[in-house]
Amino acid sequence: LQTRMQSLQPDPKAQYRSVYEALKKIVLTEGFWRPLRGINVTMLGAGPAHAMYFACYEKMKKSLSDALQHGGNSHLANGIAGSVATLLHDAVMNPAEVVKQRMQMFNSPYKSVLACVRTVQKTEGFGAFYRSYTTQLTMNVPFQAIHFITYEFTQEQINPRREYNPRSHIVSGAVAGAVAAAATTPLDVCKTLLNTQENMALSSVNVSGHLSGMVNAFKTVYRLGGVSGYFRGVQARVIYQMPSTAIAWSVYEFFKYFLTKRKLEKRT
């Protein structure tokens, strides 16, 4: 839904006024499973990407907090750790995101993930999978910095003793996801344009060949939709991120608690 709603020059058959209308229209005209197209490639990359992500975050957060605040909770340390962890995460997830978004576009010519990978590789080269990587980082570094700082701050307010409390982790994760998603929507719109290389949008502003680079993407979005163009799909993005980050944090905190508990039991 987010990819479709961020389309800058959509086909008349793919114009939506709200998240609900988009979902209803896609299901009725393109089939029940159409909104989930490309999810398999996301799932494939998500495992290793998130493993590196949280491992890097925990290690850096601890090291930096010890250095900056003598073991206390440093918001600066949380932000830096989240930003560095993003570099590893996005290196894995960027190609998966390119394939997923191309498969989700209206009238996508790709029949399967493998067909999409082969066609993009053959026609645009390997670099196409990383064309939006710098944009992705430009977006995700502030996203993750805001995300981690908001999560840790919310935890301080509702779970000051930092105990394992599933409800607090879900609430903190959802709040952190919503705040970070809303704040970085303009960057996400630019990333979608770079990933999909939307033909109708690019030709309408006389862009020939492939659009690349964050600055070019920002200028193109403004020429096509003005200031409001930067916030296309903000509802869909917030609605998507809230449960996503809530689930990610609750699962992560559970395993962290479970493994720490087992380690303590073995010692005693």
Side-chain angles (χ1 to χ4, degrees), residues 114-129:
L114 197 59
C116 182
V117 171
R118 282 175 175 167
T119 306
V120 172
Q121 166 70 31
K122 190 177 178 180
T123 58
E124 299 177 48
F126 181 75
F129 295 108

Side-chain angles (χ1 to χ4, degrees), residues 175-192:
V175 169
V179 171
T184 55
T185 296
L187 295 162
D188 195 47
V189 172
C190 295
K191 183 206 76 174
T192 297

Side-chain angles (χ1 to χ4, degrees), residues 128-162:
F129 295 108
Y130 283 94
R131 192 175 284 131
S132 67
Y133 185 56
T134 51
T135 308
Q136 183 90 332
L137 289 177
T138 307
M139 178 185 75
N140 279 354
V141 166
F143 176 93
Q144 298 301 353
I146 295 167
H147 173 204
F148 282 108
I149 290 169
T150 306
Y151 178 82
E152 299 287 358
F153 175 78
T154 310
Q155 278 287 285
E156 281 181 353
Q157 308 309 308
I158 64 176
N159 185 17
R161 296 177 68 181
R162 303 309 294 266

Side-chain angles (χ1 to χ4, degrees), residues 81-228:
S83 300
V84 174
T86 303
L87 297 174
L88 295 174
H89 176 272
D90 286 1
V92 177
M93 287 304 293
N94 204 85
E97 186 77 0
V98 171
V99 174
K100 183 197 79 171
Q101 290 195 312
R102 290 196 181 218
M103 291 185 72
Q104 287 177 342
M105 290 298 284
F106 183 73
N107 278 341
S108 173
Y110 312 109
K111 302 297 180 188
S112 67
V113 169
L114 197 59
C116 182
V117 171
R118 282 175 175 167
T119 306
V120 172
Q121 166 70 31
K122 190 177 178 180
T123 58
E124 299 177 48
F126 181 75
F129 295 108
Y130 283 94
R131 192 175 284 131
S132 67
Y133 185 56
T134 51
T135 308
Q136 183 90 332
L137 289 177
T138 307
M139 178 185 75
N140 279 354
V141 166
F143 176 93
Q144 298 301 353
I146 295 167
H147 173 204
F148 282 108
I149 290 169
T150 306
Y151 178 82
E152 299 287 358
F153 175 78
T154 310
Q155 278 287 285
E156 281 181 353
Q157 308 309 308
I158 64 176
N159 185 17
R161 296 177 68 181
R162 303 309 294 266
E163 297 172 336
Y164 174 64
N165 183 330
R167 188 179 296 174
S168 80
H169 302 316
I170 289 169
V171 171
S172 298
V175 169
V179 171
T184 55
T185 296
L187 295 162
D188 195 47
V189 172
C190 295
K191 183 206 76 174
T192 297
L193 182 61
L194 287 170
N195 274 350
T196 58
Q197 296 293 313
E198 203 181 329
N199 291 328
M200 285 177 69
L202 298 181
S203 61
S204 69
V205 286
N206 300 319
V207 174
S208 57
H210 300 300
L211 184 71
S212 62
M214 186 61 161
V215 175
N216 289 334
F218 253 94
K219 287 177 181 175
T220 306
V221 170
Y222 185 76
R223 285 168 69 188
L224 286 162
V227 174
S228 62

